[in-house]
Amino acid sequence: MLRTQRARLLIAALGGAIAVAAPVPAGAEDTEPAVVVNGTFSSPTVPADKTFSAGVDGWTSTGGVASATRAGHPQGFQAATLGWNGGGISLSTRLRGVRKGATVTLSWDDNPDICVTSGNARRAYTTTVTGDTNTPGSFTTNTPTGKANWLLGRTYSFTAAEDAPQVTFTSTDTDKPSCGALITNVAAKQTAPPLGSPQSSASSDPCAGDAASTPQCKDVAAGKDQISKCPPTDRDCLAGVAGKGEKENAGIDKETQAVEDFGKVPRDQDPNTAAADLCALPNALTAEVSPGDAVVPPSDWWFC
């Protein structure tokens, strides 16, 4: 739901009533950055001879982005528009890396754009996020003046109702809706939810519930019952249930022998002897090649 930052006042009487702002408790603010793709709308880059380009990379929009010159943002950002082709539109994206239950604070800057003047109403729009309990936020820009009039640092806070929640800006202009608000510098910070507790043994047991009656689970249960009757120090009893590991021991013996044999392989050989061993394969491949079949006879290719 929409969360409102509230200052807490500490009242103390020191010869009179004094109101002092108390520090916000640790963890009360969303501080961990969350990724907002193309939050400054630098892509696509508007050509130098254009004021707008269609499309908004990383966002869902039927509109486009305004050039840095048209936007006039104090930090030189391009901006996405909420007005296009004669009407108001929506602009939305998903906040990747945000998990269900996280509290999130979204921030951005808005501008009425230069296509509206003092005779037009402030540009109006809503900010919404998926989740029935999240109340939409309603916003209006600064007063239109026919030039850039940015309001910096808008915020909207909510609790994520799903992983990667979708946030949407939607124009609600009725006066000249084709000239919608410009949005840029969209960022987000979050407080991630605690990790879920491990599954209980019952839910992680493959033989829990109806599966207990399967042949495999019956065999496992029987083996557990037999083992439970063996004293921990009775090796013969345990071997009768679990086996003596003949196959495992045989495999270990083979691996041990392989390592030993590998260690006995001589590492130093006469070069001619080694080359003769290597020549067997290429000689077999070129045995049927006659001098007329190749520009360079096989015998001249290399040592063999």
Side-chain angles (χ1 to χ4, degrees), residues 83-290:
W84 196 262
N85 286 340
I89 61 172
S90 295
L91 174 73
S92 62
T93 191
R94 289 192 175 274
L95 302 180
R96 307 298 176 184
V98 174
R99 294 188 289 115
K100 179 179 179 180
T103 59
V104 182
T105 297
L106 191 71
S107 63
W108 68 95
D109 305 335
D110 67 29
N111 175 40
D113 198 7
I114 64 174
C115 54
V116 285
T117 65
S118 56
N120 296 115
R122 297 185 182 200
R123 303 295 86 190
Y125 62 94
T126 61
T127 302
T128 58
V129 64
T130 46
D132 294 337
T133 60
N134 290 314
T135 304
S138 296
F139 301 93
T140 55
T141 66
N142 285 333
T143 302
T145 61
K147 59 183 180 180
N149 189 13
W150 284 92
L151 193 157
L152 308 181
R154 292 282 196 189
T155 61
Y156 172 79
S157 297
F158 62 91
T159 299
E162 62 181 5
D163 291 344
Q166 179 171 285
V167 295
T168 302
F169 300 97
T170 303
S171 169
T172 57
D173 288 323
T174 56
D175 168 39
K176 201 175 181 180
S178 60
C179 186
L182 295 183
I183 304 291
T184 196
N185 198 24
V186 184
K189 291 185 178 182
Q190 65 169 319
T191 299
L195 296 175
S197 59
Q199 292 183 328
S200 66
S201 58
S203 61
S204 61
D205 185 357
C207 289
D210 295 339
S213 60
T214 62
Q216 297 88 342
C217 289
K218 285 183 177 180
D219 292 341
V220 171
K224 288 182 178 179
D225 183 59
Q226 286 181 285
I227 290 177
S228 65
K229 296 177 181 178
C230 292
T233 57
D234 191 340
R235 296 180 61 185
D236 292 335
C237 180
L238 294 172
V241 178
K244 297 182 179 180
E246 290 89 349
K247 291 183 179 180
E248 292 79 3
N249 290 331
I252 293 172
D253 290 341
K254 289 181 180 179
E255 293 296 333
T256 302
Q257 186 62 49
V259 172
E260 184 178 343
D261 292 344
F262 181 78
K264 294 178 181 178
V265 175
R267 298 295 184 268
D268 297 321
Q269 286 193 37
D270 177 81
N272 292 325
T273 301
D277 292 338
L278 293 173
C279 282
L281 179 58
N283 285 345
L285 295 174
T286 61
E288 302 300 324
V289 179
S290 63

